Amino acid sequence: MNRLSRYLPILQWGRTYDGTMLTSDFLAAVIVTTMLIPQSLAYAMLAGLPAEVGLYASIFPLVAYALFGTSRTLAIGPVAVVSLMSASSISEVAAQGTASYVEGALVLALLSGFILLAMGLFRLGFLANFLSHPVISGFITAAALLISAGQIGHIMGVKGRGDTLPEIVYALAIQLGNVNPVTFAVGSLVLISLYASRKGLKPMLVMARMPARPAEIISRAAPLVTVAATTLLATVFDLGAHGVALVGTIPAGLPSLGFPHISLDLIATLAMPACLISVVGFVESVSVAQTLAAKRRQRVDPDQELIGLGAANVAAGLSAGYPVTGGLARSVVNFEAGAATPLAGAFTAVGIAVAAMYLTPLLSNLPRATLAATIIVAVLSLVDFAAMRRVFLYSRSDFAAMAATLVVTLGRGVELGIVAGVLLSLLLHLYRTSRPHMAVVGQVRNTEHYRNVDRHSVATWPEILSVRVDESLYFANSRYLEDQIAEMVTNRPAVKHVVLMCSAVNAIDASALESLDEVGRRLTESGIGFYLSEVKGPVMDRLKGTEFLSSLNGKVFLSQHEAIQTLTKLEYEPSP
């Protein structure tokens, strides 16, 4: 039973489910549903898919996550960044508006789901660590700018398509003379109203002495209100006859279930994009889930989250949806609304299903400019230039990876952008660790502490060279270690003992072990003793299984202080 509950977390929290939790989940679902309906429609348009696909992706995937996910408050569904990545990927295999394009979306969701499930079953959640926070931040900022720029065409009533920012800007620039004034008026008014409601509606209502929670609900419902209002305006004034692009007929009913047509060529083309979507979606989801869980002292299992997200995406692929993941804004709303368990997501799915069955005929006159404005307001909150400044001031190398991700994403597309960021991060990490910080250390007087001679007033002995290396030793820095020790010994002709302080060394690989052997051999030939100190237990366990310790002309000391006491034997007077 315990093993089964590991893969079905619902068996854990379901045992204590009560009426209070039911009420909390239901109220949270009502709030999230009002937010998710316009977002689902908008993000489907962003992905280049029919509007109803966004609704379909918000039904069965939410139920699947409720069964397998560990976060009590993560809200699953279509999100802006994954929608953009999906559009970029599927465009490689089919044209928007075709049946093949929709089929590509289903296959992409299935591939993403199976990849996530495999990662979860093999406990590979750590692979997401290769996406550093600066890379993710740079990618999301660039994606938000791309998304916003891509929606301006809908606001203007012109075609402004493109996969990169230069392409989009050029497409918009050559069509400035074709702007539809009615569409522009509708889009601009919705944009202004949504921005104003996001920034000032809740404070205004609170100042009018409305309780904070109702004020929050009303402000979050603003997109749904604009959808209803602009649909009504389009119907009454026949805006479609004035050139305003409308959503058109949305089929009523639930999605049909079944496998899409899958070919090996399609799998080969979409496999890499599916991997990127899986990893980016997982990183975004698990970061939000862990942040919210910490506020309630709850726990999120990253490997089980992979299974939960994988199940959600498989459900999307089998129910006419497209790739989904956890959304930041919706999850925060779900959390603040009091969601107690993942069942809130299942209740949200019921609300979306009701909307898909009974409300879609009312949305045929919804202006596309309204959905474009909804997307722009939603994604602009993801743009974080302040983070770039903070990273620049703290780490130039991290900023380089962040800036490269942003620039390549804007200039060459989303897939190349994130790949460039990951590769540059890894290269910079290899470069940094290939030249580890090495410090000559001395004794802080009247203590057993040893610190860098260049930073502290410490005691040293001319016959003893104490070197601390502040990095694990591996193939990329092993030669550097050899060269640095050789140079230090050459510059100190009085040295008779070299002590390598290993307090910061968490691992020594085979290449580094060879280098330590070489260092010991050279020092022995020069009549100099070679010693190690403060070697960590796991590192020492591995060294004991080698010939290195037997060939060492010195010994391994438990502490640096023991090494100095043994080597000096009170024969030398410390010099300041």
Side-chain angles (χ1 to χ4, degrees):
M1 184 66 176
N2 289 335
R3 184 175 180 83
L4 183 61
S5 63
R6 176 186 178 276
Y7 292 103
L8 282 172
I10 190 174
L11 297 178
Q12 299 176 13
W13 56 261
R15 297 174 191 151
T16 59
Y17 201 79
D18 55 25
T20 302
M21 291 181 175
L22 176 64
T23 301
S24 297
D25 285 342
F26 181 77
L27 291 176
V30 171
I31 296 171
V32 173
T33 299
T34 61
M35 184 180 183
L36 185 54
I37 290 174
Q39 283 190 352
S40 297
L41 300 171
Y43 292 152
M45 184 179 77
L46 174 59
L49 294 162
E52 66 270 15
V53 176
L55 296 175
Y56 298 161
S58 304
I59 301 176
F60 290 105
L62 278 65
V63 177
Y65 182 82
L67 293 173
F68 296 98
T70 60
S71 172
R72 303 291 183 96
T73 54
L74 188 68
I76 298 296
V79 299
V81 173
V82 170
S83 297
L84 175 66
M85 295 179 72
S86 298
S88 175
S89 304
I90 306 167
S91 296
E92 297 295 322
V93 297
Q96 290 188 13
T98 64
S100 297
Y101 190 91
V102 176
E103 196 167 74
L106 305 185
V107 173
L108 188 63
L110 281 176
L111 287 175
S112 180
F114 289 136
I115 290 169
L116 288 165
L117 285 173
M119 290 175 66
L121 291 173
F122 289 101
R123 309 181 74 81
L124 299 179
F126 70 90
L127 292 177
N129 296 334
F130 289 108
L131 284 178
S132 68
H133 179 73
V135 167
I136 285 292
S137 180
F139 174 72
I140 290 178
T141 294
L145 292 174
L146 270 180
I147 291 168
S148 299
Q151 298 308 304
I152 292 176
H154 294 291
I155 300 290
M156 297 165 58
V158 300
K159 293 183 179 180
R161 294 179 180 176
D163 294 327
T164 66
L165 189 61
E167 290 176 358
I168 295 172
V169 171
Y170 177 75
L172 291 174
I174 63 176
Q175 297 185 78
L176 288 177
N178 299 325
V179 174
N180 184 296
V182 181
T183 301
F184 185 72
V186 172
S188 299
L189 286 174
V190 173
L191 199 61
I192 293 169
S193 63
L194 287 176
Y195 183 80
S197 64
R198 177 181 283 259
K199 293 294 183 180
L201 184 57
K202 180 183 176 180
M204 184 177 68
L205 294 174
V206 171
M207 287 180 62
R209 300 190 176 182
M210 179 180 286
R213 191 163 183 180
E216 176 73 19
I217 294 173
I218 292 174
S219 64
R220 294 293 183 182
L224 191 61
V225 173
T226 59
V227 165
T230 53
T231 301
L232 181 61
L233 284 173
T235 303
V236 172
F237 295 102
D238 193 15
L239 296 184
H242 294 82
V244 176
L246 305 177
V247 169
T249 302
I250 301 177
L254 296 177
S256 58
L257 303 179
F259 270 94
H261 175 71
I262 301 176
S263 67
L264 292 178
D265 289 340
L266 189 60
I267 291 175
T269 304
L270 294 180
M272 182 53 69
C275 286
L276 292 176
I277 288 173
S278 300
V279 174
V280 170
F282 169 66
V283 171
E284 184 177 354
S285 289
V286 80
S287 299
V288 174
Q290 289 177 333
T291 299
L292 296 179
K295 294 182 178 181
R296 294 184 181 175
R297 297 188 178 182
Q298 296 170 346
R299 180 178 174 272
V300 170
D301 181 351
D303 291 317
Q304 183 60 30
E305 280 299 289
L306 284 167
I307 293 176
L309 291 173
N313 278 280
V314 170
L318 297 178
S319 60
Y322 74 104
V324 297
T325 191
L328 171 60
R330 286 196 304 273
S331 298
V332 171
V333 170
N334 200 35
F335 176 87
E336 293 176 349
T341 71
L343 198 58
F347 289 150
T348 299
V350 173
I352 299 296
V354 171
M357 288 189 292
Y358 300 110
L359 300 182
T360 52
L362 304 176
L363 298 173
S364 60
N365 287 333
L366 172 63
R368 289 183 174 270
T370 299
L371 296 180
T374 302
I375 292 172
I376 291 173
V377 173
V379 301
L380 283 181
S381 62
L382 301 176
V383 176
D384 192 358
F385 289 121
M388 297 190 69
R389 180 178 180 275
R390 291 193 300 270
V391 172
F392 176 78
L393 294 174
Y394 182 75
S395 171
R396 297 295 192 273
S397 60
D398 284 337
F399 175 78
M402 189 179 195
T405 305
L406 188 143
V407 171
V408 176
T409 301
L410 291 177
R412 300 294 295 174
V414 292
E415 293 177 10
L416 282 177
I418 198 163
V419 169
V422 172
L423 290 179
L424 187 57
S425 292
L426 292 176
L427 288 174
L428 289 171
H429 172 73
L430 287 174
Y431 176 75
R432 282 198 305 266
T433 56
S434 70
R435 302 174 62 83
H437 178 257
M438 296 179 64
V440 176
V441 298
Q443 182 182 15
V444 179
R445 294 183 181 279
N446 302 318
T447 73
E448 295 183 7
H449 299 292
Y450 291 78
R451 295 291 185 269
N452 190 336
V453 298
D454 295 328
R455 294 176 177 270
H456 303 274
S457 177
V458 293
T460 60
W461 290 262
E463 296 83 0
I464 302 172
L465 172 63
S466 295
V467 181
R468 188 190 70 222
V469 57
D470 295 333
E471 187 64 66
S472 291
L473 302 178
Y474 72 119
F475 66 91
N477 59 28
S478 56
R479 181 60 59 86
Y480 181 79
L481 175 72
E482 290 182 45
D483 295 341
Q484 287 297 105
I485 291 179
E487 182 179 346
M488 291 177 184
V489 170
T490 300
N491 294 335
R492 294 169 175 81
V495 166
K496 297 179 181 178
H497 310 281
V498 173
V499 183
L500 186 64
M501 186 175 175
C502 301
S503 54
V505 177
N506 296 315
I508 299 175
D509 75 356
S511 297
L513 185 62
E514 291 288 337
S515 290
L516 289 177
D517 264 328
E518 180 63 19
V519 169
R521 186 187 65 77
R522 291 178 183 176
L523 292 176
T524 299
E525 291 176 352
S526 301
I528 298 174
F530 184 39
Y531 312 85
L532 304 182
S533 73
E534 302 190 12
V535 179
K536 294 185 175 181
V539 178
M540 193 64 188
D541 290 341
R542 297 191 67 181
L543 291 179
K544 288 178 180 177
T546 69
E547 297 179 358
F548 171 73
L549 296 181
S550 60
S551 64
L552 190 67
N553 67 7
K555 61 176 292 187
V556 178
F557 292 100
L558 182 64
S559 69
Q560 182 68 15
H561 189 63
E562 179 190 6
I564 296 300
Q565 282 190 318
T566 301
L567 296 176
T568 57
K569 294 182 180 179
L570 303 179
E571 292 180 9
Y572 310 116
E573 288 295 329
S575 57

